[in-house]
């Protein structure tokens, strides 16, 4: 499953409009407000999308879904449901390949194809990108900027892809969370829905609210 290959420090952003001057993937945003961004990498199945959206709605939370283009092509109705729920779409490449190992031209092809796919479904081009496997390189970051997009990483990996218990996932996140954090889930991991509800319940009690990555960056 997903592994972080290129470790990068957290980056502070001000607004999305300022993105060309940022050099690293965004892991968190410097804000004093108790807000965090929940994110989901979407590349395999579609069996839990509606369940995740229903849980988010229950807690008045929004999130950002990083979607693989090939998945979007065959699950266009789910893509639309994500946007109709008030959540944000980002691209997770077209084919879920290790983009840091591709040539500059192939990197552009992946980004452009996935962006085109999402635009054809939603009418909007994605502005956010997350590299498959969290694997970035300086060259890939440069290509993403050339395409007018922002590279997004995470500060807290839920570790749901390890199929650990929902309680362990929740504890792992709650112990690390702080204002401005970006949290990563896998949409198809076995215990993600149950863990998500536990996390939302605990953090709501602590006064946190949950926004999209773009909304979080606008708070920085």
């Amino acid at each position: 499953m997903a592994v972080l290959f290129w470790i990068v420090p957290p980056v502070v952003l001000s607004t999305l409009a300022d993105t060309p001057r940022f050099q690293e993937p965004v892991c968190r945003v410097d804000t004093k407000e108790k807000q965090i961004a929940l994110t989901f990498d979407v590349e395999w199945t579609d069996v839990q999308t509606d369940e995740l959206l229903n849980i988010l709605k229950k807690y008045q939370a929004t999130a950002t879904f990083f979607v693989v283009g090939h998945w979007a092509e065959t699950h266009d109705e789910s893509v639309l449901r994500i946007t109709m729920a008030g959540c944000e779409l980002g691209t997770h490449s077209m084919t879920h390949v290790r983009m840091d190992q591709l040539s500059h031209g192939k990197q552009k092809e992946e980004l452009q194809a996935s962006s085109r796919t999402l635009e054809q479904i939603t009418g909007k081009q994605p502005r956010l990108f997350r590299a498959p496997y969290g694997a970035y390189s300086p060259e890939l970051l440069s290509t993403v900027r050339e395409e007018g997009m922002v590279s997004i990483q995470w500060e807290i990996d839920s570790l749901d892809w390890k199929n650990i218990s929902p309680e362990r996932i929740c504890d792992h996140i709650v112990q690390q969370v702080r204002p401005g954090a970006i949290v990563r889930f896998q949409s198809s991991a076995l215990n993600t829905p149950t863990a998500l509800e536990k996390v939302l319940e605990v953090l709501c009690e602590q006064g946190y609210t949950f926004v999209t990555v773009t909304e979080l960056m606008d708070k920085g």
Side-chain angles (χ1 to χ4, degrees):
M1 297 294 288
V3 178
L4 179 61
F5 292 98
W6 192 55
I7 306 298
V8 294
V11 176
V12 175
L13 283 184
S14 54
T15 66
L16 191 57
D18 294 329
T19 53
R21 68 187 177 86
F22 296 101
Q23 301 300 309
E24 306 291 353
V26 182
C27 302
R28 70 175 297 271
V29 172
D30 187 15
T31 177
K32 295 179 181 178
E33 294 188 45
K34 295 188 77 172
Q35 290 188 329
I36 64 173
L38 303 177
T39 68
F40 298 87
D41 290 353
V42 186
E43 62 266 355
W44 308 123
T45 69
D46 191 33
V47 296
Q48 297 181 155
T49 306
D50 285 343
E51 185 177 6
L52 295 172
L53 291 174
N54 288 335
I55 293 169
L56 291 168
K57 181 179 179 180
K58 177 180 176 181
Y59 290 89
Q60 298 182 315
T62 56
T64 300
F65 288 73
F66 289 94
V67 176
V68 169
H70 278 178
W71 183 92
E73 287 180 328
T74 55
H75 300 92
D76 55 337
E77 291 185 359
S78 290
V79 172
L80 289 173
R81 283 197 292 272
I82 290 170
T83 60
M84 291 173 63
C87 292
E88 179 176 40
L89 285 172
T91 175
H92 197 36
S93 79
M94 189 63 191
T95 63
H96 204 261
V97 67
R98 278 285 302 268
M99 287 181 61
D100 61 315
Q101 297 178 352
L102 300 180
S103 67
H104 176 67
K106 291 295 185 181
Q107 289 174 353
K108 290 178 74 70
E109 287 179 12
E110 283 279 328
L111 291 168
Q112 292 173 359
S114 60
S115 295
R116 215 166 31 243
T117 298
L118 292 179
E119 184 178 18
Q120 288 169 352
I121 297 170
T122 68
K124 294 178 60 177
Q125 285 192 340
R127 293 294 309 279
L128 305 180
F129 164 75
R130 174 173 284 162
Y133 312 102
Y136 289 94
S137 66
E139 293 77 15
L140 177 56
L141 290 170
S142 177
T143 304
V144 174
R145 290 194 298 274
E146 286 179 19
E147 293 298 313
M149 305 179 75
V150 188
S151 295
I152 305 296
Q153 191 68 306
W154 57 83
E155 182 174 52
I156 303 172
D157 186 349
S158 69
L159 303 181
D160 56 354
W161 50 274
K162 291 186 174 183
N163 290 334
I164 58 179
S165 71
E167 292 77 17
R168 286 184 62 192
I169 295 170
C170 179
D171 289 345
H172 174 72
I173 293 171
V174 171
Q175 288 170 8
Q176 298 183 70
V177 76
R178 57 175 172 164
I182 297 174
V183 183
R184 181 186 74 150
F185 291 94
Q186 295 284 343
S187 69
S188 59
L190 178 64
N191 292 319
T192 300
T194 304
L196 174 65
E197 182 144 22
K198 290 179 179 295
V199 168
L200 286 167
E201 182 177 0
V202 171
L203 294 185
C204 279
E205 291 177 355
Q206 295 182 9
Y208 277 93
T209 56
F210 309 90
V211 298
T212 66
V213 170
T214 295
E215 289 170 333
L216 187 66
M217 290 195 295
D218 286 343
K219 296 288 184 179

